[in-house]
């Protein structure tokens, strides 16, 4: 995932008989190519999609998306589910979000250390549990996360016709 965050995939599948086009959201100079389904790969920023990905939605109206992202939180936690809803809501403002998949992703170490040094009453202070989560995030995404993402996308692609 770390090599594909901030990427927009216009992807009609994973298998060899599908046509795949990759566009990088932070260097796009032209409007994205029209497709029936977009698979959006992104990283979470402030409990939503990253800023480059947000810019893409200005050019894409009424488009169907599967969203695949990484976030520094445990994806199945209450907060992880909140982020998932917020991403879907953001996409649904002008497009159609089919579903959202998250795996845990690495948090930058300087962010971890900065937040750990904040006063304990600061809303972004990392307590011991948050610090442990940030340290664990350095091991993600891993092979299991990648396989889960592939299964997520494959499930939806198998529902579509070629």
């Amino acid at each position: 995932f770390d090599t594909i965050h901030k990427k927009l995939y216009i992807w009609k599948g994973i298998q060899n008989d599908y046509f795949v086009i990759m566009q990088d959201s932070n260097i796009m100079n032209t409007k994205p190519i029209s497709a029936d389904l977009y698979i959006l790969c992104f990283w979470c920023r402030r409990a939503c999609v990253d800023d480059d990905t947000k810019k893409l939605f200005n050019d894409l109206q009424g488009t169907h998306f599967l969203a695949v992202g990484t976030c520094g939180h445990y994806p199945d936690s209450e907060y992880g589910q909140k982020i998932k809803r917020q991403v879907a809501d953001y996409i649904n403002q002008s497009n159609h979000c089919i579903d959202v998949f998250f795996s845990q992703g690495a948090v930058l170490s300087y962010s971890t250390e900065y937040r750990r040094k904040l006063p304990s009453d600061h809303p972004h202070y990392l307590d011991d549990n948050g610090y442990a989560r940030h340290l664990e995030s350095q091991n993600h995404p891993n092979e299991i996360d990648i396989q889960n993402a592939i299964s997520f996308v494959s499930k939806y692609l198998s529902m579509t016709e070629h």
Side-chain angles (χ1 to χ4, degrees):
F1 286 157
D2 54 345
T3 60
I4 58 174
H5 76 279
K6 296 194 286 187
K7 303 283 191 249
L8 175 71
Y9 280 80
I10 304 168
W11 196 0
K12 293 191 177 195
I14 292 177
Q15 301 166 353
N16 291 334
D17 60 342
Y18 292 94
F19 181 61
V20 177
I21 298 170
M22 184 175 80
Q23 292 181 273
D24 190 327
S25 63
N26 62 358
I27 59 170
M28 286 179 52
N29 295 321
T30 61
K31 187 173 180 174
I33 296 168
S34 178
D36 295 330
L37 173 67
Y38 289 74
I39 298 174
L40 177 70
C41 299
F42 67 96
W43 58 276
C44 241
R45 186 169 195 296
R46 297 189 174 145
C48 199
V49 296
D50 61 273
D51 293 338
D52 290 324
T53 299
K54 286 180 179 180
K55 292 175 191 174
L56 287 174
F57 294 118
N58 292 332
D59 289 332
L60 300 169
Q61 305 289 312
T63 302
H64 295 276
F65 282 95
L66 278 177
V68 178
T70 61
C71 64
H73 295 273
Y74 298 121
D76 294 329
S77 69
E78 185 177 322
Y79 189 70
Q81 293 303 309
K82 176 183 174 183
I83 295 171
K84 185 176 178 179
R85 285 189 305 274
Q86 289 179 179
V87 167
D89 289 346
Y90 190 89
I91 293 170
N92 283 326
Q93 289 176 14
S94 59
N95 293 286
H96 176 68
C97 182
I98 297 168
D99 203 351
V100 178
F101 171 85
F102 276 123
S103 78
Q104 190 173 14
V107 175
L108 298 172
S109 59
Y110 74 83
S111 176
T112 300
E113 296 311 317
Y114 170 79
R115 290 183 59 190
R116 186 67 171 173
K117 293 175 185 175
L118 291 171
S120 61
D121 61 342
H122 191 281
H124 295 287
Y125 169 75
L126 282 179
D127 62 13
D128 290 343
N129 289 335
Y131 189 67
R133 177 179 44 80
H134 272 229
L135 293 178
E136 181 185 338
S137 79
Q138 299 305 310
N139 299 315
H140 293 272
N142 59 28
E143 274 304 311
I144 294 170
D145 299 325
I146 292 168
Q147 287 303 314
N148 288 338
I150 290 169
S151 295
F152 168 82
V153 171
S154 295
K155 176 179 81 172
Y156 287 99
L157 292 176
S158 67
M159 294 179 202
T160 64
E161 296 180 22
H162 299 303

